[in-house]
Amino acid sequence: MKAFYGDLKLGILGGGQLGRMLIQQAINYNVNIKVLDPDREAPCRKLCDEFIQGSLSDYETVYNFGKKVDLLTIEIEKVNVDALEQLEKEGVIVYPQPRVIRLIQDKGLQKQFFKENNIPTAPFKVITSPEQLRESEFAYPYIQKLRKDGYDGKGVYKVTDETYLTNAFTAPSIIEQLIDFEKEIAVIVARNDKGDVSTFPVVEMEFNPQANLVEFLISPSTLPPAIQQEAERIAKQIADSLKIVGLLAVEMFLTKDGKILVNEVAPRPHNSGHQSIEGNVVSQFEQHLRAIFNQPLGNTACINNAIMVNLLGEQGYEGPAIYKGMEQVLNCPGVYIHLYGKALTKPFRKMGHVTIVDADRNKAIEKAKFVQNTLKVIA
Amino acid sequence: MKAFYGDLKLGILGGGQLGRMLIQQAINYNVNIKVLDPDREAPCRKLCDEFIQGSLSDYETVYNFGKKVDLLTIEIEKVNVDALEQLEKEGVIVYPQPRVIRLIQDKGLQKQFFKENNIPTAPFKVITSPEQLRESEFAYPYIQKLRKDGYDGKGVYKVTDETYLTNAFTAPSIIEQLIDFEKEIAVIVARNDKGDVSTFPVVEMEFNPQANLVEFLISPSTLPPAIQQEAERIAKQIADSLKIVGLLAVEMFLTKDGKILVNEVAPRPHNSGHQSIEGNVVSQFEQHLRAIFNQPLGNTACINNAIMVNLLGEQGYEGPAIYKGMEQVLNCPGVYIHLYGKALTKPFRKMGHVTIVDADRNKAIEKAKFVQNTLKVIA
């Protein structure tokens, strides 16, 4: 690979907030960055050397974009993998590797992979037609997930009883036993091409059940060390089995009887790692760059308690965004605002996040609640 | 003022590394940024909504640029102040205020201001012709400084004895008694339009006498509390006297008999505050934004020991920059690379900086020395 500073042309598929925060970090390495995104108003459009508006799922568009760069990475996994495989054959370095993206794009293959590699996960079944739902021996309620293109709570359907079958997805899907979990946790792991693997400390998540989005995340976890070690061990095991180069976010359930089950993985920087920008020695974005540049991975230790609050568009508002309560929030020490450069808000749209740090965990939680109650994205 | 997120157009005069790091931070607030710089390859050129190549000292260029924005700030003080005063009259908000920039641009006026406001500073004399040097009652050696346009060691001349008078500057200058100092220290202070004033903790500097540039900076200082408090008090006094809005970097000498003398001030983010990005709760760049947006100033407390090493172009090399030793440095925990996006290196050019953090101050110093000896900018 070319030296990663200066000469290297890095392509990013996707120009959203993850790309934006990756660029904020990549600026420190003089990387020449090109971004492809279908939205001409994408958050990255003004922060890169070249912004190209185009489809991420179109073979030609992705192929032609990839031919312009030395190293290609993603900030969203819904991309044309055929094009990536061709680019890889032609000598473009693609991290994460196309085969990893292909596997993770498909929740059926992903679950199959967990099963084959002894990664603990909820019982599941691959479904190809709605009839198979009726024939399944799963007890109600269970979860149906589209194999492809689900994100942020889309593509997920809870089958509570037989009457729900009428509205079930007809596209290829999996069904999964509903896990009565104690807590959702996540571990972000990174692996470089030398095979170095490093995990970030476990974080605990609080979901907004209405939006089905993480709205509150706390780092580090205060779960018993044995559970945290097991979560980190599983994350490493997945990274090693996949031989991924780059970041892998591993979302897990901690069940009420203390077991860890992997929910799903994402081969890129992830919402569950945003607090690392201020909360850890290296951030997930710095770590992703180090991994894909095949450099030594950074120290992931926590500097402080850090809580991440997603800034979602308020219900009932749509249009040019206004951030109400900004001044009160900025008046609170140890609060970091991250807006994502999206002009228009709509209900539950991820408009930004706020990280709150404090040496006292309870104070951090108190401040996070204040931020949640005070800072509102309206129109 | 317009809400500072989204709608607000922020103009930055100067597109160098200070502007670049300011933009890295301003991204978090969705600010629409326009940059003016004479160099078409300026470090900010690809990181803003609009980059305009043009002279910072030309009235028309600065005026026309300023008419496009709501709020204008600087990352270099050598700008056309007449244009800024006209813009201010026409309703553009200019922070720091043009009158402050005018005063600080001129080392004669700056020293006069210190004197009038009882700010301790080295004895000086304003010089309008070379003859006045001979007539001065200053004991050799003393320092002659050009009143205008000196920076990074340029525009400074040491008059060691009478024979040096032949080569002295002929342009308007000041002469200053040479201070036999124990240490150079700096305090960065911020003030918003509400009148809130906040200082960063004192940092200690090590100079490279050959390049006359800070090459090593350590935060926080371990000087006696009384000395640090006095340094912070003086910085606040200057900010209050100037009624500046924005950042002010105050460079000071600690004399061998324990007195503090102000050397000079800069009304903008400054090399002596780079370690704040990782070392303090808020960085100098975040603080400058908060000040010019008239928002609450952030918490400046130190998170950790932080050492900043300037990455200067090695002597004997000129051309496209190569960063030798990068991988070894990245292998060292708690090391943060900041390259400035300059394609070409030359001797002593500021190509980047590295911040090293460690809970153990001696380890931090050890790592900083390792970085200095290992990472070399060659061509």
Side-chain angles (χ1 to χ4, degrees):
Chain A
M1 203 193 303
K2 280 189 190 177
F4 59 92
Y5 43 78
D7 278 349
L8 184 100
K9 291 189 186 69
L10 173 67
I12 307 175
L13 294 174
Q17 63 265 20
L18 299 172
R20 186 171 160 104
M21 290 184 268
L22 190 64
I23 290 173
Q24 274 179 295
Q25 196 56 37
I27 290 170
N28 291 333
Y29 292 111
N30 287 358
V31 184
N32 183 303
I33 291 175
K34 299 180 194 298
V35 172
L36 178 68
D37 194 279
D39 180 4
R40 56 187 286 271
E41 296 297 324
C44 294
R45 71 194 179 285
K46 290 292 188 184
L47 302 175
C48 50
D49 294 83
E50 193 179 359
F51 176 75
I52 295 170
Q53 188 190 358
S55 165
L56 296 169
S57 48
D58 178 63
Y59 181 96
E60 289 298 325
T61 308
V62 172
Y63 176 81
N64 291 332
F65 177 77
K67 288 302 279 184
K68 298 174 137 205
V69 303
D70 304 303
L71 171 61
L72 197 54
T73 192
I74 59 169
E75 63 113 50
I76 181 169
E77 53 270 34
K78 196 184 164 185
V79 295
N80 189 299
V81 182
D82 293 337
L84 297 185
E85 283 177 344
Q86 186 57 33
L87 288 162
E88 199 178 43
K89 274 183 207 150
E90 295 178 19
V92 178
I93 302 172
V94 185
Y95 289 148
Q97 302 92 326
R99 62 171 176 77
V100 173
I101 302 173
R102 189 181 290 286
L103 187 143
I104 291 173
Q105 273 184 345
D106 182 329
K107 290 197 171 70
L109 295 180
Q110 199 183 126
K111 290 287 277 192
Q112 202 58 45
F113 170 84
F114 295 156
K115 202 174 161 186
E116 283 163 11
N117 288 275
N118 299 313
I119 313 290
T121 189
F124 73 101
K125 203 171 165 170
V126 173
I127 299 292
T128 48
S129 75
E131 292 71 47
Q132 289 181 310
L133 287 172
R134 288 191 188 278
E135 291 157 16
S136 87
E137 285 150 23
F138 273 54
Y140 298 113
Y142 59 81
I143 300 289
Q144 186 191 21
K145 289 182 179 175
L146 288 179
R147 287 182 62 165
K148 290 198 170 180
D149 303 343
Y151 69 97
D152 279 359
K154 293 183 185 81
V156 176
Y157 184 66
K158 186 172 170 181
V159 184
T160 306
D161 60 42
E162 223 183 289
T163 65
Y164 281 72
L165 292 177
T166 336
N167 291 322
F169 298 125
T170 54
S173 65
I174 58 165
I175 56 172
E176 251 185 8
Q177 202 181 294
L178 188 69
I179 300 299
D180 186 22
F181 57 83
E182 179 67 32
K183 199 144 230 148
E184 291 199 75
I185 60 177
V187 172
I188 289 179
V189 57
R191 184 180 174 281
N192 64 16
D193 195 38
K194 294 183 191 87
D196 300 335
V197 176
S198 171
T199 53
F200 281 84
V202 178
V203 301
E204 299 177 17
M205 289 177 285
E206 301 290 334
F207 260 63
N208 175 332
Q210 205 173 355
N212 199 16
L213 282 174
V214 177
E215 72 169 3
F216 202 102
L217 175 152
I218 183 158
S219 165
S221 168
T222 50
L223 289 170
I227 289 176
Q228 296 194 45
Q229 283 157 19
E230 176 63 1
E232 292 178 20
R233 188 199 62 74
I234 291 170
K236 275 186 183 162
Q237 189 192 341
I238 302 176
D240 276 330
S241 308
L242 284 172
K243 294 201 175 7
I244 189 175
V245 175
L247 278 195
L248 186 80
V250 184
E251 296 183 271
M252 301 181 239
F253 298 122
L254 174 63
T255 64
K256 293 206 163 140
D257 54 349
K259 284 209 184 70
I260 289 170
L261 297 176
V262 173
N263 179 20
E264 52 187 60
V265 299
R268 54 170 169 78
H270 192 262
N271 196 253
S272 64
H274 290 349
Q275 86 299 337
S276 63
I277 298 172
E278 293 91 5
N280 298 68
V281 179
V282 288
S283 73
Q284 64 168 341
F285 300 100
E286 166 78 9
Q287 196 76 319
H288 184 64
L289 292 173
R290 285 173 177 240
I292 66 177
F293 294 159
N294 202 20
Q295 292 294 307
L297 299 175
N299 177 1
T300 60
C302 291
I303 298 171
N304 221 329
N305 297 299
I307 298 185
M308 193 279 299
V309 174
N310 275 321
L311 268 181
L312 307 178
E314 283 291 303
Q315 278 186 283
Y317 296 93
E318 211 158 328
I322 296 169
Y323 298 85
K324 212 180 112 236
M326 187 68 87
E327 187 159 347
Q328 292 97 294
V329 165
L330 284 174
N331 203 26
C332 193
V335 164
Y336 301 88
I337 309 282
H338 295 262
L339 305 184
Y340 295 160
K342 299 175 183 177
L344 304 175
T345 182
K346 59 184 178 184
F348 302 121
R349 187 175 194 200
K350 282 184 189 163
M351 300 299 288
H353 76 264
V354 181
T355 301
I356 297 98
V357 302
D358 203 297
D360 179 320
R361 187 178 167 94
N362 290 329
K363 268 199 195 143
I365 293 173
E366 211 175 275
K367 285 197 267 182
K369 287 184 174 158
F370 171 77
V371 169
Q372 266 188 319
N373 294 330
T374 307
L375 189 55
K376 301 287 180 192
V377 190
I378 60 173
Chain B
M1 204 195 302
K2 280 191 190 175
F4 59 92
Y5 43 78
D7 278 350
L8 183 100
K9 290 189 187 69
L10 174 66
I12 307 176
L13 295 175
Q17 62 263 21
L18 299 172
R20 187 171 162 103
M21 289 184 268
L22 191 64
I23 290 173
Q24 273 179 296
Q25 195 57 36
I27 290 170
N28 291 333
Y29 291 112
N30 287 356
V31 184
N32 183 303
I33 291 175
K34 299 182 196 296
V35 172
L36 177 67
D37 194 279
D39 180 3
R40 56 186 288 270
E41 296 297 323
C44 294
R45 72 195 179 283
K46 290 293 187 181
L47 301 174
C48 51
D49 294 83
E50 194 179 357
F51 176 76
I52 295 168
Q53 189 190 358
S55 165
L56 295 169
S57 49
D58 178 63
Y59 181 95
E60 290 298 326
T61 308
V62 171
Y63 175 81
N64 292 333
F65 176 77
K67 289 302 277 184
K68 299 174 138 207
V69 303
D70 304 303
L71 172 60
L72 196 54
T73 192
I74 60 169
E75 61 112 53
I76 181 169
E77 53 270 35
K78 195 185 164 185
V79 295
N80 188 299
V81 182
D82 292 337
L84 296 186
E85 282 177 345
Q86 185 57 33
L87 288 162
E88 198 177 44
K89 273 184 206 149
E90 295 178 18
V92 178
I93 302 171
V94 185
Y95 289 150
Q97 303 92 324
R99 63 169 175 78
V100 173
I101 301 173
R102 190 182 288 284
L103 188 143
I104 291 174
Q105 274 184 344
D106 181 331
K107 290 198 171 70
L109 295 179
Q110 199 184 126
K111 290 287 277 191
Q112 200 60 44
F113 170 84
F114 295 154
K115 200 174 164 186
E116 284 163 11
N117 287 274
N118 299 312
I119 313 291
T121 190
F124 72 101
K125 202 170 167 173
V126 173
I127 298 291
T128 48
S129 74
E131 292 70 48
Q132 288 181 308
L133 287 174
R134 290 192 186 275
E135 292 158 13
S136 86
E137 283 151 25
F138 273 52
Y140 298 113
Y142 59 80
I143 300 288
Q144 186 190 20
K145 289 181 180 177
L146 288 179
R147 286 181 65 165
K148 291 198 171 181
D149 304 343
Y151 68 97
D152 279 0
K154 293 183 185 78
V156 176
Y157 184 67
K158 187 170 167 183
V159 184
T160 305
D161 60 43
E162 224 184 290
T163 65
Y164 282 72
L165 292 176
T166 333
N167 292 321
F169 298 126
T170 53
S173 64
I174 57 166
I175 57 174
E176 249 184 9
Q177 201 181 295
L178 188 68
I179 301 298
D180 188 19
F181 56 85
E182 178 68 32
K183 200 147 229 145
E184 290 199 74
I185 60 177
V187 172
I188 290 179
V189 57
R191 184 179 175 281
N192 65 16
D193 195 39
K194 295 181 190 87
D196 301 334
V197 176
S198 172
T199 53
F200 281 84
V202 178
V203 300
E204 300 177 16
M205 288 177 286
E206 301 289 335
F207 261 62
N208 176 331
Q210 203 172 357
N212 200 16
L213 283 174
V214 176
E215 70 169 3
F216 201 103
L217 175 152
I218 183 158
S219 164
S221 168
T222 50
L223 289 169
I227 289 176
Q228 296 193 45
Q229 282 157 20
E230 176 64 3
E232 292 179 20
R233 189 198 62 72
I234 292 170
K236 276 187 182 160
Q237 190 192 340
I238 302 175
D240 276 331
S241 308
L242 283 172
K243 293 199 178 6
I244 188 175
V245 175
L247 279 195
L248 186 79
V250 184
E251 296 183 272
M252 301 181 240
F253 298 122
L254 173 64
T255 65
K256 294 208 163 139
D257 55 349
K259 285 209 184 71
I260 289 170
L261 297 176
V262 173
N263 179 17
E264 53 187 59
V265 299
R268 51 165 171 82
H270 191 262
N271 196 254
S272 64
H274 290 350
Q275 88 299 337
S276 63
I277 298 173
E278 292 91 5
N280 298 68
V281 178
V282 288
S283 73
Q284 64 167 340
F285 301 100
E286 167 78 10
Q287 195 77 318
H288 184 64
L289 292 172
R290 286 174 177 239
I292 66 177
F293 294 159
N294 202 19
Q295 292 295 306
L297 299 176
N299 177 359
T300 58
C302 290
I303 298 170
N304 221 329
N305 297 300
I307 299 186
M308 193 278 299
V309 175
N310 276 323
L311 268 181
L312 307 179
E314 283 291 304
Q315 277 186 284
Y317 295 94
E318 209 157 332
I322 295 169
Y323 298 85
K324 212 179 112 239
M326 186 67 87
E327 186 158 348
Q328 293 97 293
V329 165
L330 284 173
N331 204 26
C332 191
V335 164
Y336 301 88
I337 308 283
H338 295 262
L339 304 185
Y340 294 159
K342 300 175 184 176
L344 303 177
T345 183
K346 59 184 178 184
F348 302 121
R349 188 173 193 199
K350 282 184 188 163
M351 299 300 289
H353 76 265
V354 181
T355 301
I356 296 98
V357 302
D358 203 296
D360 179 321
R361 187 178 167 94
N362 289 328
K363 268 199 196 144
I365 293 173
E366 212 174 276
K367 285 197 269 184
K369 287 185 176 158
F370 171 75
V371 169
Q372 266 188 320
N373 294 330
T374 307
L375 190 55
K376 300 288 178 190
V377 191
I378 59 173

